[in-house]
Amino acid sequence: MGNSKKRMKTTIVNKYKLIYTPLFIGLIAIFIISTISYYTSKSLLLTQMKQNGISLAKQTVLQVQGNADSLEMVNKMIEEKIRAVGKVVIMNQKNLNNDLLKKMANDLDVCEIDWYSPEGTIIYTNIDSYLGWKSPKDHPVENFRISGKNEYMEEIRMDTESFNYKKYGYLRNSDGTFIQIGISANAVKSLTRKFDYQTLVEKLSPGENVLHVTFVDKNLKAIADSNIKDIGTVYDKDKEQEMEEALKGMISTKDSSYKKVDTKALTIYVPVVHNGEISNVLVLSLSTEKVYYSIYMLSIKSSIIAIIMILMLLWVKNKNIIKPVKELDKCINQIDIEKNIQYRLSLSESDTFFGVASSINNILDKTSSYFYQLREHQEELQASNEEILATYQQLAASEEELRAQYDEIQSYTEKLESLRGELEHIAYHDSLTNLPNRRMFVKKLEEGISENKYGAVMLLDVDNFKGINDTLGHLYGDKVLKKVAEELEYIKDEKMFVSRFGGDEFLILIEGEKDIALIENYAKQIMNIFKNKLIIEGQETYLSCSMGITLYPFDSYKVSKLLINADMAMYRVKNIGKNNYMFFNEEMTEKLQEKIKVENILRESIKKDELKLLYQPQVCTFTGKIVGFEALLRLKNEHISPAQFIPIAEETGLIVEIGRWVTKEAVKQISIWKNKCLDITPISINFSAKQLNDLNYIEFLENTLKESHVEAKYIDIEITESIFLDKKKENIAFINRLKSLGVKIALDDFGTGYSSLSYLTFLPVDKIKLDKSLNDKFLELENIKVMDSLISLANSLNLEVVAEGIEDVVQYKRLKTAGCNYIQGYLFSKPLEVEEAEKVYNDNFLEKLIKISKN
Ligand code: C2E
Ligand code: MG
Ligand code: MG
């Protein structure tokens, strides 16, 4: 414990990371910065100094050049004056005498005019004492005399006689005599001195900044020097390359130490140009001591400032971070939850780590509350521990028991395994026929399609199976299905897969066959099963079946669509007379879609009460008077014929609701007509076989009649013979019950379908309605006898006869002759709206007919 505390203390603040490393980095930074600033300021200052020195030297040189040029000008002007004076004197040669010369000298402001003989003796002069003076050898006068030149100008020189500075000029006359003219040049000479190199050198006054100034000529000989003693010194060409370069026109500098006073110096070499030619070089040495001094000072000062700043930073860090951390550490070390649970760190908002300390205190708050809870749970745990121990002992005892049970379970598992196999069989097989079921079929078909196999799906439905069930009982029905399954199994081969779809439907898969003829062979083989009588429980039974066939993937590659296709094709077979097979085609889908559309329209029309009845008059063949109306249903807003929508209403069951609406509407119409005091004749209502499903129809009709106070005799009900195909007895009973209400029954569409004449002998009907197709065929002259017999048979059975669809007079006449009671057809009237029907209610149609034929 003690050890770890010590370790904690030593590592609480890592001085290497927090102090030494930043210090080290800071010092390196200072070193780098001061080095950079030293070199930068050195280069800046020296460059500046060089530029200043060069411009100083250039200015000096310019001054030298300017001075030389001005002196040249003055000299030239004096020479011009000498020439002018000479010319004036020569012009007055004839009158020349000493007095004239004196006057001219005075007027023209010259100090000396001497006229020399060709031999060099002064003949005339303005200075009397010179008269007769002969120029000695090597004297400038003698030099001109023998030179043969016409003109010569001397440099300013001291007069050998007067010791004044003078400028002398000589002009030769045509006769060999020549003139010497002297002009005082003391002023010019003093100017020259003022402008000379040495004066300039002295002006630059060597001192603190300028160390040494010198002018050298082309031979590197000092012609002026700040140290007068050094004038005349000749510099070594090899050592003084910068002087050589300056003589070539280059300005250069040299950074060196000046040996004479042992200081650092910058020497500048600038060429002096006179009359477009480099005549001299100015060498100017400047002291750089001060510059270097200020560079050193700058570096030292900035380093000191940086060091002070680093120290201040470290001080702040120590005060604000290191010390508070140590303080915090000390406080944290005092935390001891076991011994002093109340202890909290002291808080002061000014502390650097106030936030951390308060977080630690929060943690301490939570920890102590957990600690209290822990203590509470500890005791509970103690108790449960003991309990667990006891349980453990119990468990150990149970383990052996469990082992025994495990063995038992093992044996059950094995049994279950075999059961699962059985279950799987049950899941995929039909319990009645033991054929694979729909699930198995779908699985097999899906697999086939996914493996890109082709083939055919056949849906087989046993015809009139419902009838078998109802008449011979469900047990017998089951046996029929078993027999069919057996027969199917019997004919199946490796391509044929037989399953039960449910009810009386079987699904057969012909796999791997796409030849239509061969698929059709399978279908024929299946149909053949039903061709012969089947013997079930020793009883002979005749069965037939309807079968729809669809090909995959030709018709679809979706199982659901294939099943719908087969179903559609099968229904088509049922609709056109059963006992056959048919291949699915797209037209069926279109018909189905059309059917769905019509069904939707029907539902909408019922919902929105958009149904109406038209009334077609039934006319007495002999009197021409209306004996009744047939109520014919129409949709108010749709042009769909009942021939189209009634079968759909029957299929969908909507016919029940529609049937009731028609009944109610027809009864209401009678009641209205009654109230209008019209001579009431019955209205015929069409009653579909499917309406037999409306079990309470008779009560409904009775109530409707009662409610409207309409007698049953005003309602005729038209049925078709299809009503007696199934449940013959029950349906005959139903019709009898209807009749007992007082309504009359008409057998509609007689002459279509089976239309057995023997029916007429036992069916409880009051009228027969000869169908239009029958009339069209048998009212022809060659067939009229059939019609005559049919009508007289009906009459003899006490049945009234209504002929439907009569459109021409000939038909009417033949029917009249045959003794037909009533006529319903366009000849007299089309189905009419209520208002129109009311208008013709009391008309005589025969009279109308006669009128029309007369016209
Ligand atoms: P249906 O009961 O045999 O009715 C007679 C049909 O023949 C009517 O057709 C009628 O308009 C038509 N017809 C009458 N005289 C002539 C004629 O001279 N020439 C021609 N070409 N046709 C004539 P509609 O109204 O189109 O009805 C067709 C079928 O729809 C009806 O045949 C009936 O079976 C059914 N139907 C009509 N209304 C209802 C109804 O309210 N309920 C039921 N269940 N079926 C109805
Ligand atoms: Mg009818
Ligand atoms: Mg009819």
Side-chain angles (χ1 to χ4, degrees):
M1 189 75 181
N3 256 349
S4 71
K5 258 189 183 173
K6 243 185 195 175
R7 207 177 59 234
M8 289 274 286
K9 258 186 185 171
T10 50
T11 55
I12 190 75
V13 172
N14 186 330
K15 283 191 178 167
Y16 281 99
K17 285 188 178 171
L18 220 54
I19 299 176
Y20 301 140
T21 311
L23 189 64
F24 179 68
I25 293 169
L27 288 174
I28 286 179
I30 291 166
F31 174 74
I32 293 169
I33 290 166
S34 47
T35 311
I36 291 171
S37 72
Y38 169 78
Y39 281 105
T40 316
S41 53
K42 182 183 160 186
S43 112
L44 279 172
L45 288 171
L46 281 181
T47 312
Q48 187 62 40
M49 195 177 169
K50 266 180 202 171
Q51 279 169 359
N52 291 343
I54 288 170
S55 73
L56 175 66
K58 273 181 173 175
Q59 265 173 17
T60 310
V61 165
L62 275 176
Q63 207 176 336
V64 168
Q65 286 167 355
N67 290 348
D69 290 345
S70 330
L71 278 174
E72 186 97 2
M73 285 277 287
V74 172
N75 216 21
K76 276 196 178 135
M77 278 162 69
I78 297 171
E79 283 175 5
E80 268 318 299
K81 188 167 179 179
I82 289 170
R83 260 179 223 118
V85 172
K87 278 177 188 166
V88 173
V89 173
I90 288 169
M91 273 191 328
N92 291 297
Q93 192 180 357
K94 285 176 188 164
N95 313 319
L96 208 61
N97 55 48
N98 289 338
D99 291 333
L100 182 67
L101 282 182
K102 276 178 198 161
K103 189 176 180 290
M104 282 170 101
N106 195 40
D107 290 349
L108 296 169
D109 193 22
V110 292
C111 55
E112 192 177 337
I113 306 173
D114 304 307
W115 189 289
Y116 285 83
S117 69
E119 291 79 29
T121 308
I122 296 175
I123 311 167
Y124 304 108
T125 177
N126 66 327
I127 302 163
D128 295 336
S129 58
Y130 288 179
L131 202 66
W133 184 81
K134 169 115 173 74
S135 62
K137 209 180 172 197
D138 285 336
H139 191 275
V141 178
E142 185 58 14
N143 286 346
F144 172 70
R145 193 187 69 84
I146 58 172
S147 73
K149 287 179 189 169
N150 285 333
E151 188 190 296
Y152 171 64
M153 297 291 166
E154 258 189 88
E155 286 299 311
I156 295 170
R157 67 170 163 88
M158 195 173 274
D159 178 19
T160 46
E161 306 296 316
S162 63
F163 298 103
N164 282 324
Y165 281 103
K166 281 184 185 165
K167 170 101 180 171
Y168 288 104
Y170 305 87
L171 295 169
R172 202 180 298 275
N173 210 353
S174 51
D175 57 2
T177 58
F178 59 94
I179 308 160
Q180 181 186 19
I181 294 158
I183 292 177
S184 171
N186 277 337
V188 177
K189 191 62 197 175
S190 75
L191 254 181
T192 314
R193 196 175 302 126
K194 206 174 167 188
F195 289 161
D196 79 4
Y197 291 114
Q198 188 58 32
T199 320
L200 274 172
V201 165
E202 278 158 20
K203 256 194 198 167
L204 281 173
S205 68
E208 217 181 342
N209 293 328
V210 180
L211 292 173
H212 177 230
V213 192
T214 187
F215 277 99
V216 294
D217 64 10
K218 284 181 180 172
N219 301 316
L220 307 192
K221 183 180 166 187
I223 56 165
D225 199 300
S226 52
N227 201 346
I228 293 176
K229 281 183 226 158
D230 288 343
I231 295 177
T233 311
V234 179
Y235 290 91
D236 187 347
K237 273 188 184 177
D238 297 331
K239 284 184 186 166
E240 299 290 346
Q241 278 174 358
E242 286 81 4
M243 287 186 189
E244 282 289 297
E245 279 169 6
L247 280 172
K248 287 175 193 157
M250 276 188 278
I251 297 171
S252 55
T253 57
K254 191 159 86 180
D255 204 3
S256 62
S257 62
Y258 192 66
K259 283 169 211 149
K260 283 182 187 165
V261 275
D262 199 21
T263 53
K264 284 185 175 158
L266 176 76
T267 310
I268 301 151
Y269 301 84
V270 181
V272 180
V273 181
H274 183 57
N275 282 343
E277 221 182 280
I278 297 166
S279 56
N280 302 97
V281 174
L282 167 64
V283 181
L284 178 66
S285 290
L286 302 171
S287 166
T288 52
E289 201 67 24
K290 267 194 178 170
V291 173
Y292 278 100
Y293 176 74
S294 50
I295 290 166
Y296 292 137
M297 285 313 287
L298 189 75
S299 304
I300 289 166
K301 276 179 198 165
S302 55
S303 302
I304 289 170
I305 291 170
I307 288 169
I308 291 170
M309 282 178 74
I310 286 180
L311 290 175
M312 275 169 70
L313 252 172
L314 289 177
W315 179 76
V316 170
K317 204 187 243 183
N318 187 46
K319 185 176 175 276
N320 289 343
I321 300 174
I322 298 173
K323 268 193 184 167
V325 168
K326 283 183 178 170
E327 209 53 47
L328 189 70
D329 177 55
K330 221 190 261 171
C331 296
I332 290 171
N333 277 332
Q334 284 175 28
I335 296 172
D336 188 339
I337 300 204
E338 273 178 54
K339 289 182 189 156
N340 184 5
I341 201 159
Q342 302 297 343
Y343 175 77
R344 296 290 181 272
L345 306 188
S346 58
L347 292 177
S348 159
E349 274 193 38
S350 58
D351 284 355
T352 315
F353 295 105
F354 170 73
V356 178
S358 55
S359 297
I360 292 172
N361 279 352
N362 281 343
I363 294 169
L364 282 175
D365 288 345
K366 281 183 190 156
T367 315
S368 46
S369 90
Y370 287 138
F371 196 72
Y372 282 128
Q373 281 177 7
L374 259 179
R375 271 197 191 152
E376 279 171 28
H377 289 315
Q378 209 165 15
E379 286 175 19
E380 276 174 44
L381 267 174
Q382 199 77 33
S384 8
N385 255 353
E386 283 162 19
E387 224 171 286
I388 287 168
L389 198 66
T391 316
Y392 173 74
Q393 283 161 352
Q394 254 174 304
L395 276 174
S398 314
E399 196 186 337
E400 277 180 28
E401 231 172 279
L402 274 172
R403 238 176 251 285
Q405 281 173 3
Y406 174 77
D407 292 340
E408 217 173 305
I409 288 168
Q410 199 70 26
S411 78
Y412 279 129
T413 311
E414 280 158 23
K415 277 181 203 163
L416 266 176
E417 210 58 49
S418 76
L419 267 176
R420 184 186 293 165
E422 274 172 51
L423 266 178
E424 205 156 70
H425 181 85
I426 291 168
Y428 285 106
H429 287 81
D430 166 52
S431 56
L432 178 71
T433 59
N434 206 27
L435 283 179
N437 59 12
R438 177 209 298 229
R439 192 186 294 166
M440 182 78 154
F441 178 88
V442 169
K443 200 172 152 212
K444 191 157 171 63
L445 181 56
E446 269 170 356
E447 280 169 7
I449 293 169
S450 68
E451 287 165 16
N452 289 329
K453 286 188 185 162
Y454 36 78
V457 172
M458 299 178 169
L459 178 64
L460 181 155
D461 187 284
V462 180
D463 292 335
N464 305 323
F465 184 72
K466 207 166 173 283
I468 295 171
N469 256 348
D470 290 347
T471 50
L472 300 167
H474 285 273
L475 280 179
Y476 191 81
D478 284 354
K479 279 175 187 148
V480 168
L481 293 175
K482 267 186 177 172
K483 182 74 187 166
V484 173
E486 265 170 38
E487 294 290 328
L488 286 170
E489 280 277 273
Y490 185 72
I491 61 160
K492 88 168 184 198
D493 61 10
E494 72 284 353
K495 284 187 178 174
M496 188 167 155
F497 176 82
V498 180
S499 71
R500 185 172 169 212
F501 191 50
D504 59 345
E505 289 179 332
F506 293 86
L507 269 173
I508 296 138
L509 187 69
I510 310 294
E511 210 175 36
E513 191 54 77
K514 58 180 165 187
D515 185 334
I516 301 278
L518 291 179
I519 290 169
E520 218 171 341
N521 269 350
Y522 278 101
K524 281 176 186 157
Q525 244 181 301
I526 294 167
M527 296 305 293
N528 275 342
I529 296 175
F530 298 92
K531 266 209 176 129
N532 307 317
K533 58 189 173 196
L534 294 172
I535 298 168
I536 298 160
E537 279 191 337
Q539 191 178 330
E540 289 179 358
T541 311
Y542 284 91
L543 288 175
S544 69
C545 78
S546 303
M547 202 155 63
I549 308 168
T550 185
L551 305 173
Y552 68 88
F554 179 73
D555 290 331
S556 174
Y557 49 86
K558 274 189 181 165
V559 173
S560 55
K561 175 76 169 68
L562 287 169
L563 294 182
I564 291 170
N565 288 354
D567 197 53
M568 265 192 268
M570 188 270 283
Y571 262 96
R572 188 84 194 103
V573 177
K574 292 262 185 208
N575 280 343
I576 59 171
K578 305 178 180 175
N579 191 21
N580 210 339
Y581 63 84
M582 190 178 270
F583 280 89
F584 163 82
N585 59 45
E586 273 311 320
E587 206 182 293
M588 291 176 185
T589 313
E590 281 161 27
K591 270 195 182 143
L592 183 73
Q593 279 164 353
E594 182 62 27
K595 195 187 113 182
I596 291 167
K597 193 179 134 198
V598 172
E599 183 185 340
N600 287 337
I601 292 173
L602 265 182
R603 285 187 194 280
E604 276 297 289
S605 303
I606 294 169
K607 207 163 95 187
K608 294 182 182 165
D609 196 21
E610 284 169 355
L611 303 176
K612 69 173 177 185
L613 289 179
L614 294 188
Y615 297 93
Q616 187 176 28
Q618 296 171 332
V619 179
C620 173
T621 320
F622 307 102
T623 62
K625 292 221 122 207
I626 290 176
V627 290
F629 291 94
E630 178 171 8
L632 293 161
L633 185 61
R634 296 289 182 272
L635 304 181
K636 272 185 198 164
N637 299 320
E638 302 284 343
H639 288 286
I640 308 174
S641 127
Q644 194 185 352
F645 70 72
I646 290 294
I648 293 169
E650 286 173 343
E651 244 178 82
T652 54
L654 288 171
I655 196 68
V656 170
E657 199 177 343
I658 291 175
R660 285 198 176 200
W661 184 88
V662 171
T663 307
K664 210 167 191 166
E665 185 68 15
V667 171
K668 196 169 97 191
Q669 196 54 56
I670 291 170
S671 150
I672 293 170
W673 280 337
K674 239 171 96 179
N675 291 339
K676 286 189 177 178
C677 297
L678 291 171
D679 191 7
I680 301 302
T681 57
I683 291 180
S684 302
I685 301 169
N686 288 288
F687 186 83
S688 160
K690 292 280 152 61
Q691 281 178 262
L692 291 169
N693 293 331
D694 188 359
L695 298 175
N696 298 322
Y697 179 77
I698 295 176
E699 284 83 348
F700 166 78
L701 175 62
E702 198 175 3
N703 290 337
T704 311
L705 288 169
K706 263 188 200 155
E707 276 164 26
S708 306
H709 307 291
V710 172
E711 289 159 77
K713 64 173 181 183
Y714 292 123
I715 294 294
D716 286 359
I717 291 202
E718 296 188 7
I719 56 168
T720 57
E721 58 191 18
S722 65
I723 225 170
F724 304 110
L725 283 180
D726 284 342
K727 296 185 186 173
K728 208 165 161 184
K729 274 187 196 159
E730 282 102 317
N731 293 346
I732 288 179
F734 177 84
I735 299 298
N736 280 329
R737 275 177 62 208
L738 266 181
K739 274 178 73 131
S740 66
L741 281 186
V743 299
K744 283 201 175 127
I745 306 294
L747 187 64
D748 203 357
D749 301 344
F750 190 83
T752 60
Y754 297 107
S755 294
S756 165
L757 281 177
S758 64
Y759 277 2
L760 299 180
T761 56
F762 62 86
L763 289 183
V765 297
D766 304 292
K767 279 184 199 171
I768 56 168
K769 293 188 80 179
L770 306 181
D771 191 73
K772 182 174 188 305
S773 59
L774 188 93
N775 293 328
D776 288 347
K777 192 172 173 189
F778 292 103
L779 286 176
E780 295 295 318
L781 206 55
E782 62 269 29
N783 292 328
I784 193 72
K785 277 189 179 161
V786 179
M787 190 56 91
D788 287 344
S789 328
L790 180 63
I791 293 171
S792 54
L793 173 76
N795 285 340
S796 67
L797 289 170
N798 267 340
L799 297 172
E800 289 181 315
V801 180
V802 187
E804 264 189 311
I806 303 309
E807 291 179 356
D808 63 61
V809 189
V810 180
Q811 283 181 325
Y812 161 71
K813 283 182 178 159
R814 285 182 186 157
L815 284 167
K816 192 179 175 185
T817 318
C820 171
N821 307 83
Y822 312 114
I823 304 287
Q824 182 184 339
Y826 293 174
L827 175 67
F828 293 128
S829 172
K830 288 196 169 182
L832 303 171
E833 297 283 349
V834 181
E835 304 77 37
E836 292 170 324
E838 285 172 3
K839 276 184 205 158
V840 298
Y841 212 94
N842 292 317
D843 285 5
N844 188 309
F845 285 90
L846 279 181
E847 284 169 8
K848 268 192 194 174
L849 195 65
I850 293 159
K851 254 187 214 167
I852 294 166
S853 59
K854 272 183 186 166
N855 288 338

